[in-house]
Amino acid sequence: MTSRPPLRLPVYALMLVALLVRAGRASDPSFEADARPLIQQFCVDCHNDKKQKGDVNLDRFVTPASLAQNPKLWEDVTRVLRESEMPPHKKPQPSDADRARLIGAVEHTLAHLEYQPDPGRTVIRRLTRVEYNNTIRDLLGVDSHPADAFPADGGGGEGFDNHAATLYITPILMEKYLQAARQIAEQVDVAKLAGVDPNTKFDPHAAAHNMLAALLPRAFRRPTDEGEINRYLNVFDHAMQSGRDFNDAARLALRAVLVSPNFVYRIEADRPGATDAYPLNDFELATRLSYLLWSSMPDRELFDLAKQNRLHENDVLIAQVKRMLADVKSRAFAEQFITQWLDIRRLGSVEPDRNRYKDFTPELKAAMSEEPIDLFAAMLRDNAPLTDLIACNYTYLNAALAKHYGIAGVEGDQFRRVTLPDATRGGVLTLGAVLTVASYPQRTSPVLRGKWVLEQVLGVQAPPPPASVQTLSRDDKPHDGQTFRQRLERHRADPTCAACHAKIDPLGFGLENFDVIGAWRDKIGGVPVDAAGKMPTGETFTGPGELKQILLARREQIMRHLTDKMLAYALARGIEAYDTPVINKIMDDLKANDYHAQNLIVGIATSYPFTHRKNATITDRKEAPHE
């Protein structure tokens, strides 16, 4: 008599069971009574002090308060339980009711943990290359992109270039700052900047003073006093005394401003005597907000509100967020966030096999790069639901990209909103940029594409492959009577590979109708495409349209991952355990407002860690040991 595999309910059914179990209880779920015994029974055999499979030790968490040490771990625990990834299939399984009881108890505990408000570690950081270019443009009207010659930015935690701890200044970068300052000063009309007519007689010292008095507060993004102005005015005076003319002397003073730490760094001053966190002043808040939404310095309206000490008022701050998102400069935020979050900046270095994919021209590559930026910028501007990132009936195309997608009626180089004829396109999964970077030069890869969906969209880190894993052929044509998918299925049968591939491959199979450069195909090597998949939780689907519906059922998981990433981008640091209440609050507001985009931005811009800081000299939080 053969044993039957355990019955696994689909995700939505398991959620319903959890609700019914909770409804049937006289009191709220308890970690000690409902979760801990089941963890001991089904989990700690593999995840204890001595045997920490996957570097996970659940035996150390014995009270509700102990979960606060690592809430992300417990979010992962509930996810793998809900999707029946754990316990492993060869191990004893909890009943559906016990599984739902365990999930409910952990989630209830996480939702009611108490944290001390903490804005996180304060790290002074320099402008990124994009921020430097945009600031020079808005400060001086110079749009020559001088920072393009700088070394690449760090690209640290959470995958974003603006991570404060990675934005070092190296000797080479310092040399580049000096060179850039010289080049920028040569491009500026200093007589116009100083507000004088060079054809009339004027007082050079007074003109230079007026120039610096107007320039320094904008360059340093805060008020300046006469003492600070005079330090740069002395540079001008010494140059004049040495025989330089007004223009040369003024340019020398300007160069000194542009290499000042007050310009190249975003400095937030410590508050003497403060032993705890405190609100930013309004100029610091204006700077955080402008570099978040514009990747550039504050404009006159933000400066004026900061001078009036009104920007921190909640209604005023929300109104400014919405004003700034409506401004064309917010496209910089869309570009920086979406391309780094989706890991599609690599498109510039991707080179599909030219013999096979002759349509992959520089023009098509440029159009692929443009589409996700225009799409996300429009979502922010129009306050569209963020679930459109998963599935929507529109995108932004020009003629070249529309032709590549097989969509008629789009003419010219200009990008415009296009209603899609069916569900095969729409959302980030079917972007040409995504499909191309998640392919090999000569063939598609369900593994690469599935891993991309798992990590970038669902926020689940895939483990690295075993060192001894065998690679598959470089092309996807049938070999020895087997399709590429059949060869991959045989590869997946290896017990060392099966568990991970069961999570990854179905996601990639759903995208197999797209070739290496994202064009639609019905056949591979003359054989019809098999785009069917089965999720570990049992749901089956065929093709990208049905795959997106599967993902929409996981919208809360996807939106939480997006919130984590955007908060990390806004704070220029990694997400910590004490950020959990902030993320919970933002998520509650998002769910209550159908996940509209501006609610996420407003939630972050008005959040405690975005509007507060603590002195850099305050000792960072020391995590207490697990109870």
Side-chain angles (χ1 to χ4, degrees), residues 206-256:
H209 178 277
N210 291 340
M211 178 187 78
L212 290 167
L215 179 67
L216 285 184
R218 298 180 66 235
F220 296 168
R221 303 171 284 274
R222 57 168 173 75
T224 54
D225 56 27
E226 281 298 312
E228 199 162 19
I229 293 170
N230 286 334
R231 285 199 291 275
Y232 294 92
L233 188 58
N234 287 339
V235 174
F236 171 86
D237 289 339
H238 284 304
M240 290 289 290
Q241 292 164 11
S242 68
R244 294 176 183 255
D245 64 18
F246 175 80
N247 283 344
D248 281 350
R251 288 191 175 102
L252 196 62
L254 176 58
R255 286 162 56 183

Side-chain angles (χ1 to χ4, degrees), residues 46-311:
C46 295
H47 303 291
N48 53 57
D49 286 324
K50 294 181 180 179
K51 188 179 180 181
Q52 301 184 23
K53 282 198 172 182
D55 294 324
V56 173
N57 177 9
L58 300 182
D59 207 17
R60 301 169 63 189
F61 298 89
V62 295
T63 66
S66 65
L67 272 63
Q69 301 296 333
N70 196 342
K72 182 65 170 66
L73 168 65
W74 286 94
E75 290 169 11
D76 289 341
V77 167
T78 60
R79 178 187 59 78
V80 297
L81 285 168
R82 180 175 286 113
E83 298 187 0
S84 298
E85 293 179 19
M86 291 289 165
H89 299 158
K90 62 183 178 181
K91 296 284 186 178
Q93 299 290 312
S95 66
D96 289 329
D98 279 346
R99 187 182 293 271
R101 185 158 60 98
L102 174 52
I103 293 169
V106 172
E107 288 183 336
H108 181 269
T109 302
L110 290 174
H112 291 82
L113 289 175
E114 293 186 3
Y115 297 83
Q116 195 69 21
D118 191 336
R121 185 176 178 223
T122 299
V123 178
I124 184 175
R125 71 180 184 92
R126 64 167 172 82
L127 301 179
T128 65
R129 296 195 304 172
V130 169
E131 291 169 347
Y132 185 99
N133 282 338
N134 291 348
T135 303
I136 291 295
R137 177 199 66 200
D138 293 341
L139 178 67
L140 299 170
V142 174
D143 200 15
S144 58
H145 297 83
D148 288 359
F150 295 176
D153 294 318
E158 303 292 336
F160 295 114
D161 284 349
N162 71 347
H163 193 274
T166 67
L167 291 174
Y168 315 111
I169 290 188
T170 62
I172 292 177
L173 181 55
M174 194 66 245
E175 290 180 12
K176 294 294 185 181
Y177 279 145
L178 293 169
Q179 293 172 10
R182 184 181 300 111
Q183 294 165 1
I184 293 163
E186 290 298 323
Q187 298 172 51
V188 173
D189 185 342
V190 293
K192 182 178 180 181
L193 191 65
V196 297
D197 183 351
N199 298 315
T200 62
K201 188 174 182 180
F202 62 90
D203 180 346
H205 179 87
H209 178 277
N210 291 340
M211 178 187 78
L212 290 167
L215 179 67
L216 285 184
R218 298 180 66 235
F220 296 168
R221 303 171 284 274
R222 57 168 173 75
T224 54
D225 56 27
E226 281 298 312
E228 199 162 19
I229 293 170
N230 286 334
R231 285 199 291 275
Y232 294 92
L233 188 58
N234 287 339
V235 174
F236 171 86
D237 289 339
H238 284 304
M240 290 289 290
Q241 292 164 11
S242 68
R244 294 176 183 255
D245 64 18
F246 175 80
N247 283 344
D248 281 350
R251 288 191 175 102
L252 196 62
L254 176 58
R255 286 162 56 183
V257 172
L258 295 180
V259 296
S260 167
N262 292 289
F263 174 74
V264 299
Y265 281 99
R266 287 171 47 183
I267 295 176
E268 296 171 353
D270 281 354
R271 184 171 297 179
T275 58
D276 206 347
Y278 49 85
L280 297 168
N281 70 46
D282 276 25
F283 288 96
E284 294 165 343
L285 181 56
T287 297
R288 282 199 183 185
L289 192 61
S290 65
Y291 282 100
L292 169 61
L293 298 183
W294 288 345
S295 296
S296 187
M297 60 181 285
D299 67 352
R300 184 177 299 277
E301 185 165 337
L302 286 173
F303 274 132
D304 288 345
L305 287 169
K307 288 177 186 176
Q308 299 165 23
N309 196 32
R310 293 188 56 215
L311 183 58

Side-chain angles (χ1 to χ4, degrees), residues 475-488 490 524-525 527:
D475 64 70
D476 51 13
K477 295 179 181 178
H479 284 271
D480 300 324
Q482 287 191 320
T483 65
F484 176 80
R485 173 161 180 166
Q486 288 170 334
R487 298 197 303 277
L488 180 57
R490 187 176 61 189
I524 301 175
V527 179

Side-chain angles (χ1 to χ4, degrees), residues 17-18 29 32 159 163 172 183 220 306 329 340 411 433-434 468 526 594:
V17 172
E32 293 97 329
H163 193 274
I172 292 177
Q183 294 165 1
F220 296 168
K329 287 193 290 187
Q340 294 184 69
E411 303 293 337
V434 166
S468 59
D594 297 323

Side-chain angles (χ1 to χ4, degrees), residues 8 83-85 89 447 450 454 488-489 492-509 533-539 541:
R8 288 179 290 160
E83 298 187 0
S84 298
E85 293 179 19
H89 299 158
V447 178
L454 193 70
L488 180 57
E489 296 280 7
R492 294 173 63 200
D494 185 336
T496 61
C497 305
C500 289
H501 279 284
K503 292 188 294 185
I504 294 172
D505 293 359
L507 300 169
F509 288 147
K534 182 177 182 179
M535 301 294 286
T537 43
E539 304 100 319
F541 62 90

Side-chain angles (χ1 to χ4, degrees), residues 269-279 613-619:
D270 281 354
R271 184 171 297 179
T275 58
D276 206 347
Y278 49 85
R613 74 182 301 273
K614 59 185 179 183
N615 286 350
T617 53
I618 294 178
T619 303

